[in-house]
Amino acid sequence: MGWTLGQLADRVGGTVAGDERREVSGIRSLESAESEHLSFVAGAKHLAAARRSRAGALLVARGAGDLAADRIAVDDVMAALAELLALLHPRARPESGIHPTAVLGEGCVIEPSASVGPYVVLGRSVHVAAGAALGPHAVVGERCEIGEGSVLHAHVVLYDGVRVGPRSVIHAGTILGADGFGYLATAEGHRKIPQVGGVEIGSDVEIGALSAVDRATLDRTVVGSGTKIDNLVQVAHNVRIGRNVVVCGQAGVGGSASLEDGVVLAGQVGVIDHAVVGAGARVAAKSAVLSSLAPGAVAAGIPALPIGQWRRQQSLLRRLAAIWRRLRALERRLGAGDREEGDE
Amino acid sequence: MGWTLGQLADRVGGTVAGDERREVSGIRSLESAESEHLSFVAGAKHLAAARRSRAGALLVARGAGDLAADRIAVDDVMAALAELLALLHPRARPESGIHPTAVLGEGCVIEPSASVGPYVVLGRSVHVAAGAALGPHAVVGERCEIGEGSVLHAHVVLYDGVRVGPRSVIHAGTILGADGFGYLATAEGHRKIPQVGGVEIGSDVEIGALSAVDRATLDRTVVGSGTKIDNLVQVAHNVRIGRNVVVCGQAGVGGSASLEDGVVLAGQVGVIDHAVVGAGARVAAKSAVLSSLAPGAVAAGIPALPIGQWRRQQSLLRRLAAIWRRLRALERRLGAGDREEGDE
Amino acid sequence: MGWTLGQLADRVGGTVAGDERREVSGIRSLESAESEHLSFVAGAKHLAAARRSRAGALLVARGAGDLAADRIAVDDVMAALAELLALLHPRARPESGIHPTAVLGEGCVIEPSASVGPYVVLGRSVHVAAGAALGPHAVVGERCEIGEGSVLHAHVVLYDGVRVGPRSVIHAGTILGADGFGYLATAEGHRKIPQVGGVEIGSDVEIGALSAVDRATLDRTVVGSGTKIDNLVQVAHNVRIGRNVVVCGQAGVGGSASLEDGVVLAGQVGVIDHAVVGAGARVAAKSAVLSSLAPGAVAAGIPALPIGQWRRQQSLLRRLAAIWRRLRALERRLGAGDREEGDE
């Protein structure tokens, strides 16, 4: 069931050094690969590990250092790796058709090539496009639309009126379209503002496990095409996320905030309600965006500052003990008798 | 299927300016409304957008600025909006009765007007009160009680012995009553302390998607009536949350902590184990409450400080570069030769 | 259905003071216990509450202060409490056997003493070992292995190729083996790197509700034996967690990071990609580990510093207003005219 190095090199525009007919049957890291595996060298610092590896063959950059193993040399190792992973480790597609245990509301349209798994529950008038797959226990509300080739993994829940574009993947346990968190403070307590809008997920989006994208109060919460969202991420109501945005694990985006095209939020970042994060801006892990960021900004800290300012601030914080000592030295020299609580 | 402005004005004690018989069929934002929609003007800063809007009619504050559109003038726009959203966008109630696929343990009592959806699984002796609704795939453990008119959305899980009061709403994927995180450190590793208490949710509570409220070690973890909890929130074992508390997305409350009545935690806040957050206290986004807060406190920062102190500290941090420069200027002037590593 | 104090004392090597034949039927806190309950005194500061308690009997440390109630004196109150909680509040084991609604793929092996609950869905070639229990709606992918006596609570999802060792407990809604968050930036957008590795959970592990452990890119994401993970925790792809590690609620561990044996992460901690947290290191709540930590380190802050440094920094921050004031006093004294924007 293997592939020869020659076949693989053809796929990725590479050149074989060594035995073109050597076969490999999977891809592993340098540390865990055995003779039946291909491994890869992502950069010069991995050359020593590559020489120690038991891998049967290596994927390397053209002109990479001296290596004895049979290998495929390519222009871009990571791009070739992504291609070959998909080739050597294909993921089984679920069978087309509707599992007999699925419960469908009236007026649902399931294209014949789509797959609806065991115990899926669909509300009325759901459309599942060609090639889409709904995993076990997925629950999809009324009037939802699942685009061509999209995948809802096990236990995904879509409330009513959620649209998912083509070729998007929603991982297990993620909830799209729960009510936004909107209340009016009144003398009798918090009064709910009904959340009657929807959610719109573009094409080629991927959302990790256990994330939540709330429905809009009135219009739509939007996740743009090509955007990738990690696990345990909160996207509040009325948020607008642009195209090709990256939101890492446990980040949260407050109500009515915008992330323009190409923004990157690292892990555990928070963006406050109504903030606009400009196109291409990047925010470091654990930062809190408490006001809007200009396009292209690179920000860090709580509250988030331009990264240069944040670094300077960190450097000054490390110097704080010296500042205190030197200040007191000056005072002593001048006989300034400003002793006070907290001095030592 | 529309409502006339006259009818709507009657509902909210408003006054129509313009055509009382104009009909609208839904509510949209100023930007997305069309001629069949009502929109609203939340404040003076939205007047320009209101004049540009294609909305068929507007909900406005009495005495709001000059507007040409047909409109309903009210004392409190947001309160009227909440009322009209519920009227024009009613949410379909699931049908009463028990879906044939539901699996019920012995001794369950399901009131006839309650709804038990597809693939719901109930343990023994569960009580579902009148008008309550359990969404698809909800799993409810032994001896749980679901109060009158309460809703468990799809995929909610209640472990054994959880009580939910009347008119409460638990959104999809939320887990109530999983074991608290309690272990004894021993020479052989972490030994589990069995978590044998329960969870009690009051009336008129709303809990968002994918939140977790752990069962108590011995007694009960409590969420008081009227409290609203957002998505992805962690409430640890033995926590006591009072009435009308607001906990925003991704906040976490440590074991045995208390949030007294009316507390507000903004997004991503953490409250440490055993802390008491006094009645009406408010904590800014991303803050860490590392010790108890007095009633009415307004706190921010890591660790959380009174907000005035926090602002002063932020202001001083922005001045740190100036402090450093001016300190060195004084030293130079005095010929203080205290050069050291880190100077520049 | 009660136990006598004499019987309970025998179980935990304790000594009864008072009536050995008194019966108790459950364990409660000092505040909520009634005459049929045993309660416990965890330390001297609880003596006053113990004297006020209505508990029928008390579990106390040998030599604890003067108490009138019938009681069991032991060497280690918390260890005895853990033992007696399990004895007096046994958790019902689900019945062995496969619920008729479970959907099993080809080639599954379910040991006769295992329990497979309603609406469980298993892919092909799953092995469920003796005494293991799969709760309602659990979804388990192809080739997964569930070890002897392990429990997957309701709504747990395992993607293909996940292994869970013996005596481990996975709480409701947790997702093991979703795709890691790996993309290549290209001119056309983010290109997915297929995630073809697995997840390996050791023995005696407990993972809370709604946590996510992603599958590795190539090899395995590993959670070592005896490790305890709380709710809403993110464990990214390729992470290696050692033995007897503790990860508290809402913490996140970035891709390819390592937590060595005995590490403790408090709540809401973040560990950046590729960092190594050395054996026995402890990280305070809300901290951000932005670079590796030495074994035994105790760290706090964003970025995390050795705890002594962090405390010193916090102390200096509280002194910042004084530094500023005293610096300006020196300037005034020297006639330094360095007035600038930001002065007051």
Side-chain angles (χ1 to χ4, degrees):
Chain A
M1 298 296 298
W3 295 74
T4 67
L5 297 189
Q7 288 171 321
L8 298 178
D10 282 352
R11 283 293 183 121
V12 294
T15 313
V16 176
D19 180 4
E20 289 208 344
R21 285 177 301 183
R22 177 184 272 273
E23 286 197 6
V24 290
S25 63
I27 303 180
R28 292 276 183 87
S29 69
L30 291 169
E31 291 71 28
S32 69
E34 302 288 344
S35 61
E36 69 270 28
H37 298 127
L38 178 70
S39 191
F40 66 102
V41 185
K45 67 177 175 179
H46 298 290
L47 277 172
R51 291 191 189 103
R52 285 193 304 271
S53 177
R54 289 190 301 269
L58 296 172
L59 182 67
V60 301
R62 289 187 203 281
D66 194 37
L67 285 163
D70 293 331
R71 59 201 183 277
I72 303 170
V74 293
D75 292 334
D76 181 335
V77 171
M78 292 308 291
L81 177 66
E83 180 99 16
L84 296 183
L85 280 168
L87 186 70
L88 272 72
H89 299 266
R91 195 162 282 188
R93 272 192 49 81
E95 281 176 50
S96 297
I98 302 173
H99 195 275
T101 60
V103 173
L104 275 65
E106 285 173 32
C108 288
V109 177
I110 316 292
E111 300 300 334
S113 61
S115 169
V116 174
Y119 302 123
V120 165
V121 176
L122 305 183
R124 280 178 292 188
S125 304
V126 170
H127 181 231
V128 181
L134 277 54
H137 299 268
V139 172
V140 177
E142 286 184 24
R143 292 165 289 107
C144 288
E145 299 177 21
I146 313 299
E148 202 169 319
S150 283
V151 177
L152 308 187
H153 280 277
H155 285 239
V156 165
V157 176
L158 273 56
Y159 281 57
D160 294 351
V162 173
R163 299 209 303 234
V164 176
R167 298 176 307 281
S168 288
V169 176
I170 315 294
H171 282 281
T174 280
I175 314 289
L176 305 180
D179 282 2
F181 197 62
Y183 302 92
L184 276 178
T186 76
E188 296 78 39
H190 307 292
R191 176 174 177 183
K192 185 173 177 79
I193 300 174
Q195 305 288 307
V196 309
V199 171
E200 183 157 346
I201 308 291
S203 57
D204 302 292
V205 169
E206 187 160 7
I207 302 182
L210 298 169
S211 287
V213 180
D214 278 355
R215 67 195 311 104
T217 309
L218 296 169
D219 298 337
R220 281 204 175 78
T221 304
V222 177
V223 176
S225 294
T227 284
K228 311 298 180 186
I229 295 177
D230 200 352
N231 301 336
L232 291 159
V233 167
Q234 154 79 338
V235 178
H237 57 176
N238 312 320
V239 164
R240 302 188 76 82
I241 298 181
R243 300 169 68 92
N244 297 324
V245 168
V246 172
V247 181
C248 294
Q250 298 178 314
V253 184
S256 302
S258 292
L259 308 181
E260 295 181 352
D261 295 352
V263 161
V264 177
L265 303 185
Q268 299 186 336
V269 162
V271 173
I272 205 156
D273 297 8
H274 297 277
V276 177
V277 181
R282 289 183 292 146
V283 184
K286 204 98 180 179
S287 302
V289 176
L290 300 187
S291 56
S292 293
L293 294 179
V298 181
I302 306 174
L305 304 172
I307 189 99
Q309 265 183 55
W310 178 80
R311 288 210 180 101
R312 177 83 181 142
Q313 190 175 83
Q314 288 298 312
S315 151
L316 287 159
L317 282 170
R318 285 191 296 271
R319 203 171 283 172
L320 210 44
I323 288 174
W324 174 240
R325 185 169 34 74
R326 287 160 70 164
L327 175 64
R328 286 184 302 153
L330 287 183
E331 287 180 340
R332 274 193 302 276
R333 185 159 168 159
L334 292 165
D338 193 7
R339 309 309 276 173
E340 55 184 274
E341 202 177 4
D343 280 23
E344 54 201 44
Chain B
M1 299 296 299
W3 295 74
T4 68
L5 297 189
Q7 289 170 320
L8 297 179
D10 283 352
R11 283 293 183 121
V12 295
T15 313
V16 175
D19 180 3
E20 290 208 346
R21 286 177 300 184
R22 178 185 273 273
E23 286 197 8
V24 291
S25 62
I27 303 180
R28 291 276 182 88
S29 69
L30 291 169
E31 290 72 27
S32 68
E34 302 289 344
S35 63
E36 70 271 29
H37 298 127
L38 178 71
S39 191
F40 66 102
V41 185
K45 68 178 176 180
H46 299 289
L47 277 171
R51 292 193 188 102
R52 285 193 304 271
S53 177
R54 291 189 302 267
L58 296 173
L59 180 68
V60 301
R62 291 185 202 282
D66 195 36
L67 286 162
D70 294 331
R71 57 201 185 277
I72 303 171
V74 292
D75 293 332
D76 182 334
V77 170
M78 292 308 290
L81 177 66
E83 180 98 17
L84 296 181
L85 280 168
L87 186 69
L88 272 73
H89 298 268
R91 195 161 283 188
R93 271 193 49 79
E95 281 176 49
S96 297
I98 301 173
H99 195 276
T101 60
V103 173
L104 274 67
E106 286 174 29
C108 289
V109 177
I110 316 293
E111 300 299 334
S113 62
S115 169
V116 175
Y119 302 122
V120 165
V121 176
L122 305 183
R124 281 177 291 187
S125 304
V126 170
H127 181 230
V128 181
L134 278 54
H137 299 269
V139 173
V140 177
E142 287 185 23
R143 292 165 289 109
C144 288
E145 300 177 20
I146 312 298
E148 202 169 320
S150 283
V151 177
L152 308 188
H153 280 276
H155 286 238
V156 165
V157 176
L158 274 54
Y159 281 57
D160 295 349
V162 173
R163 300 208 304 233
V164 176
R167 298 176 306 283
S168 288
V169 176
I170 314 294
H171 282 281
T174 280
I175 314 289
L176 306 181
D179 281 1
F181 196 63
Y183 301 92
L184 276 178
T186 75
E188 294 79 40
H190 306 292
R191 177 174 176 184
K192 186 174 176 78
I193 300 174
Q195 305 287 308
V196 309
V199 171
E200 184 158 346
I201 308 291
S203 56
D204 301 292
V205 169
E206 187 160 8
I207 303 182
L210 299 170
S211 287
V213 180
D214 278 353
R215 66 196 308 105
T217 310
L218 296 170
D219 299 336
R220 281 203 176 78
T221 303
V222 177
V223 177
S225 294
T227 284
K228 311 299 181 187
I229 295 177
D230 199 353
N231 301 336
L232 292 160
V233 168
Q234 154 79 337
V235 178
H237 58 174
N238 312 318
V239 164
R240 301 189 76 83
I241 297 183
R243 298 168 69 92
N244 297 325
V245 168
V246 172
V247 181
C248 295
Q250 297 178 315
V253 184
S256 303
S258 292
L259 307 181
E260 295 181 351
D261 294 353
V263 161
V264 178
L265 303 186
Q268 299 185 338
V269 162
V271 174
I272 205 157
D273 297 7
H274 297 280
V276 177
V277 181
R282 290 183 290 146
V283 183
K286 203 93 178 184
S287 301
V289 177
L290 299 187
S291 55
S292 293
L293 293 179
V298 181
I302 306 175
L305 303 172
I307 189 100
Q309 265 183 53
W310 179 80
R311 288 207 182 103
R312 176 83 182 142
Q313 190 175 85
Q314 289 298 312
S315 150
L316 287 158
L317 282 171
R318 285 190 295 271
R319 202 170 286 169
L320 211 43
I323 288 173
W324 173 240
R325 186 169 33 75
R326 286 159 70 164
L327 175 65
R328 286 184 302 155
L330 288 183
E331 286 179 340
R332 275 194 300 275
R333 186 162 169 158
L334 291 165
D338 194 9
R339 311 308 276 174
E340 53 186 274
E341 201 177 5
D343 281 21
E344 54 203 39
Chain C
M1 299 299 298
W3 295 74
T4 67
L5 298 190
Q7 288 171 321
L8 297 179
D10 282 354
R11 283 293 182 121
V12 295
T15 313
V16 176
D19 180 2
E20 288 208 344
R21 285 176 303 185
R22 177 183 272 274
E23 286 198 6
V24 291
S25 63
I27 303 180
R28 291 277 183 86
S29 69
L30 291 169
E31 291 71 28
S32 69
E34 302 288 344
S35 63
E36 69 271 26
H37 297 128
L38 178 70
S39 192
F40 66 101
V41 186
K45 67 178 177 180
H46 299 290
L47 277 171
R51 291 192 189 103
R52 286 194 305 272
S53 177
R54 290 190 300 270
L58 295 172
L59 181 67
V60 301
R62 292 186 202 281
D66 195 36
L67 285 163
D70 293 330
R71 57 204 185 277
I72 302 171
V74 292
D75 293 333
D76 181 335
V77 170
M78 294 307 291
L81 177 66
E83 179 100 16
L84 296 182
L85 281 167
L87 185 70
L88 272 73
H89 299 267
R91 196 160 283 188
R93 272 193 50 80
E95 281 176 48
S96 297
I98 301 173
H99 195 276
T101 60
V103 173
L104 275 66
E106 285 174 29
C108 289
V109 177
I110 317 292
E111 300 300 334
S113 61
S115 170
V116 174
Y119 302 123
V120 165
V121 176
L122 306 183
R124 281 177 292 187
S125 305
V126 170
H127 181 231
V128 181
L134 277 54
H137 299 267
V139 173
V140 176
E142 287 185 23
R143 292 166 290 107
C144 288
E145 300 178 20
I146 313 299
E148 203 170 317
S150 283
V151 177
L152 307 187
H153 279 277
H155 285 237
V156 164
V157 176
L158 274 55
Y159 281 56
D160 294 351
V162 173
R163 299 208 304 231
V164 176
R167 298 176 307 281
S168 288
V169 176
I170 314 294
H171 282 281
T174 281
I175 313 289
L176 306 181
D179 281 2
F181 196 63
Y183 302 92
L184 275 179
T186 75
E188 296 79 41
H190 306 292
R191 176 174 177 185
K192 186 175 175 77
I193 301 173
Q195 305 287 308
V196 309
V199 171
E200 184 158 346
I201 308 291
S203 56
D204 302 292
V205 168
E206 187 160 6
I207 302 182
L210 298 169
S211 287
V213 179
D214 278 354
R215 64 195 312 102
T217 310
L218 295 170
D219 299 337
R220 282 203 175 78
T221 303
V222 177
V223 176
S225 294
T227 284
K228 312 299 180 184
I229 295 177
D230 200 352
N231 301 336
L232 291 159
V233 167
Q234 154 79 338
V235 178
H237 58 175
N238 312 320
V239 164
R240 302 188 76 83
I241 298 183
R243 299 168 69 93
N244 298 322
V245 167
V246 172
V247 181
C248 294
Q250 296 177 316
V253 184
S256 303
S258 292
L259 308 181
E260 295 182 350
D261 295 352
V263 160
V264 178
L265 303 185
Q268 298 184 338
V269 162
V271 174
I272 205 157
D273 296 8
H274 297 279
V276 177
V277 181
R282 290 183 291 146
V283 183
K286 203 94 178 183
S287 302
V289 176
L290 299 187
S291 56
S292 294
L293 293 179
V298 182
I302 305 174
L305 303 172
I307 189 100
Q309 266 184 53
W310 179 80
R311 288 208 181 102
R312 178 81 183 145
Q313 190 176 83
Q314 289 297 312
S315 152
L316 287 158
L317 282 170
R318 286 191 296 271
R319 203 170 283 170
L320 211 43
I323 289 173
W324 174 240
R325 184 167 36 72
R326 287 160 70 164
L327 175 64
R328 286 184 302 153
L330 287 184
E331 287 179 338
R332 276 194 301 276
R333 185 159 169 160
L334 291 165
D338 194 7
R339 308 310 276 174
E340 56 185 273
E341 201 176 5
D343 280 22
E344 55 203 38

